[in-house]
Amino acid sequence: MRKDIVTNQMFPKKELVRIVKNKEDEVSIDPTGKAAGRGAYIGLDVEIAKQAKKKRTFDQAFKVKIDDQFYDELIAYVDHQQARKELFGK
């Protein structure tokens, strides 16, 4: 179980996506969940991803300025993963 940093709810790790900040302060989506760096999780829900963009959640969590493009990529990624889950199940 991991905590979603947007909603503060606990979810199984498979229902979350990990966002990681590496030593060079680059923030990226970590589909494997194993990339080196500091990680934070959000639920695989488009509404949660949109909330993260609106609140600039990862800017605050990682203490760096993150482009809107990253948040747009995150929303697209979560939307894609959500659709895959609905099509193919777990």
Side-chain angles (χ1 to χ4, degrees), residues 32-75:
T32 65
K34 297 178 183 178
R38 181 163 178 250
Y41 295 87
I42 69 163
L44 282 174
D45 184 333
V46 174
E47 292 307 312
I48 293 174
K50 287 179 181 176
Q51 268 187 314
K53 180 178 181 179
K54 183 178 177 184
K55 294 179 181 178
R56 313 279 315 164
T57 303
F58 294 106
D59 293 52
Q60 296 166 12
F62 296 134
K63 296 177 177 42
V64 293
K65 174 75 173 111
I66 302 172
D67 287 340
D68 278 343
Q69 181 182 352
F70 167 77
Y71 287 103
D72 294 336
E73 288 174 17
L74 176 62
I75 291 167

